[in-house]
Amino acid sequence: MSQPTLQQSTGPEFTRIYSYGAARGDLVVPNDDLIGPIDSSDEWIQQRTGIITRTRASHDVLAVDLATDAAREAIDKSGIAPEQIDLVIIATISNVRLTPSMAAVVADRVGANPAAAYDENAACAGFSYGVTQADALIRTGAAHYALVIGAEKLSDIVDPTDRSISFLLGDGAGAVVIGPSDFPGIAAPVWGSDGSKADAVGMNANITEFRDGTAPWPTLRQEGPTVFRWAVWEMAKVAKQALEVAGVTAEDLAAFIPHQANMRIIDEFAKQLGLPESVVIGRDIATTGNTSAASIPLATHRLLEEHPELSGGLALQIGFGAGLVFGAQVVVLP
């Protein structure tokens, strides 16, 4: 007997982002509320990070709730019916339930059942990873329309006495709808990891150690100087690579939206990339804080609200963080 030929799926040649949605924590937390446990000052935090306030969610508001709100806005603005969405990807490091996935719950809440749904953990690069996966899966025909969300409630996994990271973190979710396009809307990614530096950013314990009573509740911590050097020098190279693989230059950009880790890192990025003054830079960190996987879509959502003229322009988005993982690509803004 001859071997039958398998059929493999194929999809559209191009994809694009249709819309953004956002949900920030309902509490505005100024620096003065956090300085006691870390023996610091508002001035010190602003000088080191550029953060004035950060948004955090109330005790009963979960990351999945923020994800749902952001998703609903993105879907409403996309013009795509929720039942047409057949892929939901959520980037998160703060789902307090290891299973079921946050994505499956959100898919049900927004009316996208029975979409394929899963969570992925690439920390601050998670949104970029999700966009890359959605783009690839749609172009192979494995999905038709995708909902990609970065959602975090980092206040659940922070030690208020930790001077390395506690004052940086906020809560929020940002979402996009991605689908077929008549033109290239999402460039090839530059993504990867450097596990040799895994100890630079991560959790101070695991849940089995907590269960056994040998460690406190696991919280985020970082080696600040190591992360700063890696982000500034290595990630600037990644950003330049992302421009090269997209076939564009810094002068072609309308916006630059890096992960909102630290204002000093953002400013140094802009300098190393030689961005012209015409490029609008996302600086959402000043009032939202560092929201890990949610930071890029949140910053983009705010830029589009404040600068609607950016619609149709090119934006370089880059995420980097725990792992150490990174992901960058140029996208057309909706």
Side-chain angles (χ1 to χ4, degrees):
M1 282 183 63
S2 61
Q3 179 74 20
T5 302
L6 289 178
Q7 293 187 9
Q8 289 194 264
S9 62
T10 57
E13 185 177 4
F14 306 124
T15 65
R16 63 182 174 90
I17 294 173
Y18 288 27
S19 58
Y20 283 80
R24 288 174 171 80
D26 55 311
L27 306 175
V28 175
V29 182
N31 292 335
D32 284 341
D33 285 6
L34 305 179
I35 58 177
I38 59 172
D39 189 24
S40 186
S41 68
D42 171 60
E43 181 184 21
W44 183 83
I45 293 175
Q46 287 200 45
Q47 285 182 349
R48 289 181 65 86
T49 70
I51 298 174
I52 303 166
T53 61
R54 76 279 297 135
T55 57
R56 289 187 173 175
S58 297
H59 182 271
D60 295 332
V61 177
L62 303 177
V64 69
D65 301 320
L66 296 168
T68 302
D69 290 346
R72 285 178 173 146
E73 183 190 351
I75 293 169
D76 287 346
K77 289 161 62 176
S78 72
I80 303 301
E83 57 268 21
Q84 290 183 270
I85 294 169
D86 51 4
L87 173 64
V88 179
I89 303 171
I90 294 188
T92 185
I93 59 170
S94 54
N95 186 2
V96 290
R97 289 181 182 271
L98 296 182
T99 191
S101 72
M102 194 188 299
V105 174
V106 171
D108 178 56
R109 287 184 179 183
V110 301
N113 268 346
Y118 60 92
D119 294 352
E120 50 100 339
N121 178 348
C124 308
F127 177 74
S128 175
Y129 271 46
V131 169
T132 293
Q133 292 168 59
D135 164 59
L137 290 168
I138 292 170
R139 287 191 294 111
T140 61
H144 298 89
Y145 294 95
L147 177 64
V148 176
I149 308 167
E152 304 287 13
K153 189 180 180 186
L154 299 178
S155 58
D156 281 339
I157 51 173
V158 63
D159 175 1
T161 67
D162 186 342
R163 283 179 61 92
S164 76
I165 203 168
S166 63
F167 53 90
L168 290 170
L169 305 178
D171 303 334
V176 293
V177 173
I178 296 175
S181 175
D182 294 331
F183 57 87
I186 300 172
V190 176
W191 59 336
S193 65
D194 182 1
S196 70
K197 296 183 178 67
D199 290 340
V201 192
M203 307 300 285
N204 64 344
N206 62 50
I207 57 173
T208 55
E209 292 168 335
F210 176 67
R211 176 200 64 192
D212 296 340
T214 59
W217 171 249
T219 56
L220 284 168
R221 35 86 46 210
Q222 70 171 347
E223 296 172 7
T226 301
V227 174
F228 186 90
R229 287 192 299 271
W230 176 76
V232 167
W233 302 112
E234 298 304 317
M235 291 307 96
K237 297 174 189 174
V238 169
K240 290 175 183 176
Q241 281 182 268
L243 292 175
E244 290 172 11
V245 301
V248 301
T249 67
E251 287 72 27
D252 297 316
L253 295 176
F256 174 52
I257 304 129
H259 164 51
Q260 303 293 292
N262 182 308
M263 196 73 81
R264 290 162 61 202
I265 292 175
I266 294 171
D267 291 341
E268 186 61 35
F269 259 157
K271 190 184 303 179
Q272 291 202 37
L273 288 172
L275 296 180
E277 289 187 11
S278 59
V279 177
V280 182
I281 300 173
R283 290 191 169 91
D284 192 43
I285 189 171
T287 54
T288 301
N290 178 342
T291 53
S292 190
S295 78
I296 291 174
L298 282 175
T300 308
H301 181 275
R302 175 158 283 168
L303 276 194
L304 289 170
E305 281 193 332
E306 295 176 348
H307 300 276
E309 72 278 4
L310 293 175
S311 179
L314 298 178
L316 170 60
Q317 301 182 332
I318 176 169
F320 48 89
L324 294 169
V325 294
F326 56 88
Q329 64 265 98
V330 176
V331 301
V332 176
L333 293 170

